[in-house]
Amino acid sequence: ARDHLKKAMQQLEGAKTADEEMKAADDLEAAIQGAKAAGIDASDEDVVAAEELLREAHRKQRARKGLEDAISSGDADALREAIGEGRAAGLELDEDEALLKRAEEALENAESVREAKQRLEDAIASGDASRLRDAIEDGEALGLSDADLAAARKALEEAEAHEKALEAKRQAEEAALNQTQPLPSRALPSAPPPPPAGQHDDDASSTSTQAHPSQLGPQPTTDTRVHDKAEFVWPQPQALDGSITRE
């Protein structure tokens, strides 16, 4: 009985697949019962070691099933717990590593889906059309169902209708304001700029120094009729209105 017990332990420790491990665990459990029936005490070190090895094998089996169930559910919390238990149970077969990887990928996707659903809820609460569009696009990319997206799509329709109504109101108010505004008045031409400093005084002084022809004395003439009489003729005095006065 003792030899059979030790052999069953060796088979379990050397299992290469989960199926082999499960069969070896069943054999070990039967060997333990046979050893006890043969009179080997439960406190015997071989029996104690065999029972510990069997508990570990059963824990691994439960961990594998837990991973499979969590992957099927797609629940992030269940996946996180199943992955932790699988690592703690010592799953280290090649197929165990593949199973753990599948669970980790499912967890990543589940967390993305949870975040996407939360963004949908936040966008619905905000009523903002832009946020709703982005949240719906993210949800569609992650493969959310129509049921998950229905509320957000309805909220988007309402938000877009509200935006159109506001835009129409704004355009109407702007058109009314343009009709009531007076036409702009034509600006009067501006006065020419003042002359530079000093130029006015120079112009005034030059004007004041220009004397009237009547004040310049005799003027030369080319009239040949007076050539024999005089070289100069005196201009006739003029009145203030420009007419010539006779003496």
Side-chain angles (χ1 to χ4, degrees):
R2 187 181 296 276
D3 291 340
H4 181 64
L5 181 64
K6 289 183 177 181
K7 183 178 180 180
M9 292 173 64
Q10 291 174 355
Q11 289 177 345
L12 180 57
E13 290 174 340
K16 300 298 183 183
T17 66
D19 290 340
E20 289 180 2
E21 189 176 85
M22 184 179 298
K23 183 178 183 305
D26 292 340
D27 292 342
L28 179 58
E29 186 173 7
I32 291 171
Q33 293 175 356
K36 290 179 178 180
I40 300 176
D41 192 78
S43 61
D44 185 270
E45 61 179 3
D46 289 334
V47 174
V48 171
E51 289 180 339
E52 178 63 25
L53 187 60
L54 182 61
R55 282 192 295 270
E56 291 177 358
H58 286 165
R59 185 180 182 183
K60 289 179 180 179
Q61 291 172 10
R62 290 193 300 270
R64 292 187 186 101
K65 186 176 186 305
L67 285 167
E68 293 287 359
D69 292 343
I71 292 171
S72 299
S73 72
D75 182 75
D77 292 335
L79 283 161
R80 192 176 294 106
E81 181 178 354
I83 291 170
E85 175 58 21
R87 297 293 185 192
L91 297 183
E92 52 190 15
L93 297 176
D94 291 342
E95 60 187 282
D96 291 336
E97 290 297 331
L99 180 60
L100 286 167
K101 185 176 180 180
R102 283 174 51 208
E104 288 170 350
E105 290 174 351
L107 174 60
E108 183 178 353
N109 183 71
E111 289 177 339
S112 297
V113 168
R114 174 184 287 181
E115 292 173 359
K117 289 181 177 180
Q118 185 62 50
R119 284 195 297 272
L120 285 170
E121 293 179 4
D122 294 342
I124 292 171
S126 72
D128 182 77
S130 178
R131 291 183 62 182
L132 283 163
R133 290 188 200 96
D134 292 342
I136 291 171
E137 288 178 2
D138 291 343
E140 290 174 343
L142 288 170
L144 294 185
S145 66
D146 291 337
D148 292 328
L149 297 170
R153 286 170 175 164
K154 181 179 179 181
L156 177 58
E157 291 178 359
E158 295 173 353
E160 289 177 338
H162 182 64
E163 283 185 348
K164 290 179 180 178
L166 290 178
E167 178 61 18
K169 181 180 178 182
R170 185 193 66 79
Q171 292 180 358
E173 291 175 348
E174 184 177 349
L177 181 61
N178 291 335
Q179 291 178 355
T180 57
Q181 287 181 345
L183 294 175
S185 58
R186 298 180 62 182
L188 296 175
S190 58
Q199 180 176 342
H200 179 75
D201 297 339
D202 294 342
D203 293 344
S205 61
S206 63
T207 303
S208 63
T209 55
Q210 293 178 0
H212 192 275
S214 61
Q215 300 174 351
L216 299 179
Q219 301 293 316
T221 180
T222 58
D223 192 347
T224 56
R225 292 176 299 174
V226 297
H227 181 70
D228 296 335
K229 296 181 180 182
E231 187 175 354
F232 296 94
V233 292
W234 294 95
Q236 295 294 331
Q238 297 180 355
L240 295 176
D241 59 355
S243 61
I244 301 175
T245 58
R246 304 287 183 178
E247 293 183 353

